[in-house]
């Protein structure tokens, strides 16, 4: 049997050839979306930031000339006339920009050299495309000669008027690139104090000059603009980015600019000389792509991801998504009822760990075995795991508060009797307006997860709906999960999923999720500074949230969200926090005013893609407030691990029986009067 | 250039390591391992200089030895200044023990010596480890900072990037493989696998690391270049043969090489760059810079090689 290709094998747009960029293209809405976002003919520059895998490169490449040519093939002129732009894609990673720094040369000189190299690069790219348009007879020979001459006229010196064609000009600009590279690579070994280059023109001679020349002298471009798609800006230093900011600020009407960068990729908004700064909403429009995707209606995002996946299946496996086939049908899911049935079945053969824990807690509090047996008997509730689990939480609450309906309790046996009576009442009439009703309304999904964990079942992160949520506005995340899930399923069952109605099992989904967690850390590695590993703070946070979630009496339901006032953090903690946010480990979800101080508390969650690492839920419900001290313990890595554990353990003790400091003397069976 | 014409000497055990050559200068970089400390005792040289990184300053082994201090792992200017300060006669004989060297320092030193006014004859020595402390889990670097071109091995790169190619000499560290692969995302990737490996199990360990780095989705194992992990000349020849063949199919726009595996393979990449006029081509060698390099994870002394007259 021929091997079936994995439709999700390639997850990065850079690894896709142009044909697949086109084939895999999925617009955000079924009838549009990214054109409205990018607005390719709007003259206002745009800076698009986004996490790795959010789709920046895919979108920018889609609007490039290479893809325009692929889309319009034999009707290129008509297609470009319809688009009204020529997309010029510039990948900053190709510049090897890091060598334009250091080596004992001052910044001013590097700035001049880099600006010149930028012009040579952009000029060459433009001329390369014009050469292709000439080959397509969209630009006439006469236009070519005029354009080349006008470009040479822009040189401050060294214009070679024997050059009359785009081809010759392209070769000339490539040679100049090589010359400056050679000089920069070798000046140290040649004993020179700095690179010595013949600068033929300054920025933005060609960047602006060529679009202006096209508009003024080439009929085809009279009503069209040049769309510069400058991707991967994070590869440029602060000084180099000042050049780009200057270009944004001073651009003419013949061109427009879209810049793509990682969330942390824009290092400055200052222009060269540092005198002025570009501002969002003024000199440029800012977009954060994964936020754009996340903040849309969840059904719109779900539909988008579904079509992204279906597109892959269509191209690689011939999926008939127009005929009703859709990926969600092939991703196994499990209902809550189904999972509870499995757990109920299991508990007949396995001991109930929550009762073991309760017994252990009562023993630690020095209760007699006979009393413990009575308590547990009262709290047990037949085959209804949810009521029984609610009983445990209710009991712990009574243990902590020592009161019920305004009356002080005699002892814990009475507490267990109250629990019993309330559960009987709820069982006969399950209303939300009862203790159990209120508990289950808040904690039901937590109970399901906790019961799964305690019953040695996987916490249910599976099903297409949940996988979409966990992608957290980053399509590459779900592609990665499916890539590994596909591989695992194929390996285990010796049959490819999606073919002949074969599905992706829960087990393979778990495999895909686990692999994706490892991949996420590798992909989003934060460069270390002075030995600091910022991700250690994330471990502290996740571990703390997990301890709270699985405590006897969790402070909130569905703990995965916390609120914080970042401005109150120390410099060290703030730096760690900002790095985690800019590398997408922490996602800003909502904000609200502190009820006491009125200060803005920002809500964050750990990126859903890696939440399973700590068995945390993916739905947002309760928000945990992190006070300043705790936030410092977590995010300030100058605090030792021992200090962090001491502080957080003290905090977690508030939510675990016996809800107080352990005393040496045994507690009485009765509460103190 | 036909690299198979180069000559190498092999000593299977340290007991048989008694090279006859007499050198004007012997240069080594110090760390605690036996394979750095023991073999140089048998080298005959008028002057032996130990390059020192800050963490090794007070070791008793170095008492009475000539030392040259670098400020840190990124003190490339220090390496250049060291080379400029060498007092060599015309065609003087230099032996560099590459065993303890960091790859960038080794390559910069070779570049400097190639340019040195005395035009020295340079041999490079390398001592294999008997084994590594944690087998395939051995860590060689940590706290990654950034990938960059090695000074002196930067190419005349251009804005045409349609057929960029990166050759990755895959080592154990899958994180570093991923780092360099991400540095030039657009480039097609080809792996250089050390085969035969220095020890029998190292091949599988290398392949495992590359698989973990997910290189195989964009670069199948069947498309790899194979060259002995201990032989820089065959490595350079294998790279040359591959590139020459690829150039005939379709011109490579920019070529990047990442020496993440053995020191001899790093030397092979350097030889390819230097002898194939990489200075005038869009070819460069890139390397991941880290805050921490683990040098002391090798145990014992295996085979010892001397690669003759490399520059």
């Amino acid at each position: 049997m021929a091997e079936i290709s994995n439709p999700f094998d390639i997850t990065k747009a850079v690894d896709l050839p142009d044909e697949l960029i086109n084939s895999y293209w999925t617009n955000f809405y079924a009838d549009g979306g990214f054109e409205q976002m990018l607005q390719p003919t709007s003259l206002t520059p745009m800076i698009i930031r986004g996490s790795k895998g959010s789709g920046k490169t895919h979108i920018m490449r889609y609007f490039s000339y290479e893809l325009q040519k692929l889309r319009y093939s034999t009707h290129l002129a008509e297609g470009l006339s319809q688009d009204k732009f020529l997309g010029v894609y510039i990948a900053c990673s190709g510049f090897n920009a890091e060598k334009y720094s250091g080596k004992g040369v001052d910044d001013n000189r590097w700035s001049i050299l880099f600006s010149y190299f930028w012009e040579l690069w952009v000029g060459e790219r433009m001329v390369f495309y014009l050469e292709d348009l000439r080959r397509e007879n969209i630009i006439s020979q006469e236009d070519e000669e005029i354009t080349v001459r006008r470009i040479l006229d822009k040189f401050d010196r060294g214009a070679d008027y024997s050059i009359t064609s785009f081809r010759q000009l392209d070769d000339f600009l490539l040679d100049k690139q090589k010359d400056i590279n050679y000089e920069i690579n070798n000046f140290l070994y040649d004993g020179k104090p700095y690179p010595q280059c013949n600068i033929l023109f300054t920025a933005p001679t060609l960047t602006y000059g060529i679009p202006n020349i096209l508009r003024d002298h080439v009929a085809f471009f009279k009503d069209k603009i040049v769309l510069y798609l400058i991707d991967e800006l994070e590869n440029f230093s602060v000084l180099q980015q000042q050049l780009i900011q200057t270009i944004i600020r001073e651009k003419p009407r013949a061109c427009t600019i879209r810049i793509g960068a990682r969330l942390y990729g824009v290092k400055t908004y200052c222009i060269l000389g540092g005198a002025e700064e570009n501002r969002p909403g003024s000199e440029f429009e800012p977009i954060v792509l994964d936020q754009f995707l996340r903040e849309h209606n969840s059904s719109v995002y779900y539909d988008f991801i579904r079509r992204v996946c279906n597109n892959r299946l269509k191209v690689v496996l011939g999926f008939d998504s127009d005929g009703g086939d859709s990926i969600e049908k092939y991703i196994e899911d499990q209902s809550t009822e189904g999972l509870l049935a499995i757990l109920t079945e299991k508990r007949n053969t396995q001991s109930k760990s929550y009762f073991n824990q309760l017994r252990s807690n009562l023993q630690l509090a020095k209760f007699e075995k006979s009393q413990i047996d009575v308590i547990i008997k009262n709290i047990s509730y037949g085959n209804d795991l949810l009521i029984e689990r609610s009983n445990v939480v209710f009991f712990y609450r009574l243990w902590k508060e020592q009161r019920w309906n305004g009356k002080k309790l005699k002892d814990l046996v009475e507490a267990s009797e109250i629990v019993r009576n309330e559960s009987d009442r709820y069982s006969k009439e399950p209303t939300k307006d009862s203790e159990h009703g209120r508990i289950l309304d808040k904690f039901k999904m937590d109970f399901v997860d906790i019961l799964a964990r305690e019953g040695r079942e996987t916490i249910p992160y599976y099903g297409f709906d949940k996988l979409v949520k966990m992608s957290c506005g980053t399509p590459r995340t779900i592609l990665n999960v499916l890539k590994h899930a596909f591989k695992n399923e194929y390996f285990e069952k010796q049959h490819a999923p999606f073919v002949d109605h074969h599905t992706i099992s829960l087990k393979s989904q778990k495999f895909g999720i686990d692999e994706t967690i490892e991949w996420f850390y590798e992909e989003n590695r934060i460069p270390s500074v002075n030995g600091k590993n910022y991700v250690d703070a994330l471990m502290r946070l996740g571990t703390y949230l997990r301890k709270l979630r699985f405590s006897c009496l969790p402070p909130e339901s569905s703990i995965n969200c916390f609120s914080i006032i970042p401005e109150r953090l120390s410099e060290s903690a703030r730096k760690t926090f900002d790095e985690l946010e800019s590398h997408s480990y922490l996602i800003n979800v909502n904000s609200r005013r502190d009820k006491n101080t009125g200060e803005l508390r920002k809500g964050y969650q750990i990126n859903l893609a890696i939440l399973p690492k700590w068995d945390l839920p993916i739905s947002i419900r309760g928000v945990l407030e992190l006070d300043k001290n705790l936030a410092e313990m977590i995010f300030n890595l100058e605090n030792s691990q021992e200090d962090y554990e001491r502080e957080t353990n003290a905090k977690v003790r508030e939510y675990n029986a016996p809800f107080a400091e352990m005393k040496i003397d045994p507690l009485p069976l009765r509460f103190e009067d | 250039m036909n690299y198979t014409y180069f000559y190498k000497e092999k000593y299977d055990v340290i007991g048989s390591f008694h090279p006859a050559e007499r050198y004007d200068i012997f240069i080594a970089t110090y760390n605690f391992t036996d394979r750095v400390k023991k073999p140089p005792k048998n080298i005959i040289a008028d002057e032996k200089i130990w390059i020192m990184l800050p963490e090794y300053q007070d070791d008793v082994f170095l008492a009475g030895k000539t030392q040259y201090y670098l400020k840190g792992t990124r003190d490339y200017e220090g390496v250049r200044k060291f080379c400029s300060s060498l007092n060599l006669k015309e065609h003087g004989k230099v032996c560099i023990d590459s065993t303890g060297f960091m790859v960038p320092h080794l390559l910069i030193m070779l570049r400097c010596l190639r340019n040195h006014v005395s035009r020295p004859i340079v041999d490079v020595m390398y001592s294999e480890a008997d084994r590594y402390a944690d087998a395939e889990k051995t860590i060689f670097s940590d706290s990654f900072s950034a990938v960059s071109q090695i000074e002196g091995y930067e190419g005349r790169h251009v804005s045409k990037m349609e057929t960029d190619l990166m050759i990755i000499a895959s080592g154990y560290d899958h994180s570093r493989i991923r780092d360099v692969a991400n540095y030039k995302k657009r480039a097609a990737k080809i792996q250089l696998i050390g085969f035969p490996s220095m020890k029998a199990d190292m091949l599988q360990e290398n392949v495992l690391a590359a698989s973990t780095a997910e290189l195989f989705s964009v670069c199948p194992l069947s498309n790899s270049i194979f060259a002995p992990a201990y032989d820089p000349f065959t490595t350079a020849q294998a790279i040359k043969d591959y590139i020459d063949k690829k150039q005939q199919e379709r011109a490579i726009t920019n070529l990047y090489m990442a020496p993440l595996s053995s020191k001899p393979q790093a030397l092979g990449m350097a030889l390819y760059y230097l002898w194939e006029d990489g200075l005038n081509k869009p070819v460069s060698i890139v390397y991941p810079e880290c805050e921490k390099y683990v040098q002391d994870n090798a145990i014992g002394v295996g085979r010892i090689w001397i690669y003759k007259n490399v520059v």
Side-chain angles (χ1 to χ4, degrees), chain A residues 469-482:
Chain A
K469 274 201 187 112
M470 283 165 59
S471 68
C472 215
T474 308
R476 191 185 294 171
T477 302
I478 188 171
L479 294 178
N480 205 64
V481 172
L482 293 171

Side-chain angles (χ1 to χ4, degrees), chain A residues 64-80:
Chain A
S64 66
Y65 173 71
E66 287 86 349
L67 271 295
Q68 287 177 301
K69 187 172 176 182
L70 199 67
R71 275 197 296 284
Y72 301 127
S73 61
T74 53
H75 302 96
L76 183 57
E78 291 87 342
L80 292 176

Side-chain angles (χ1 to χ4, degrees), chain A residues 341-354:
Chain A
I342 291 172
L343 292 168
T344 305
E345 179 65 37
K346 261 191 164 180
R347 85 169 202 172
N348 294 329
T349 54
Q350 278 178 216
S351 57
K352 290 179 261 185
S353 62
Y354 47 84

Side-chain angles (χ1 to χ4, degrees), chain A residues 229-245:
Chain A
L229 300 151
I230 303 171
D231 199 11
E232 303 166 344
L233 189 72
E234 62 273 4
N235 288 284
F236 285 359
S237 67
V238 170
L239 193 61
Q240 291 157 359
Q241 287 194 15
Q242 285 182 348
L243 168 68
I244 306 303
Q245 294 293 343

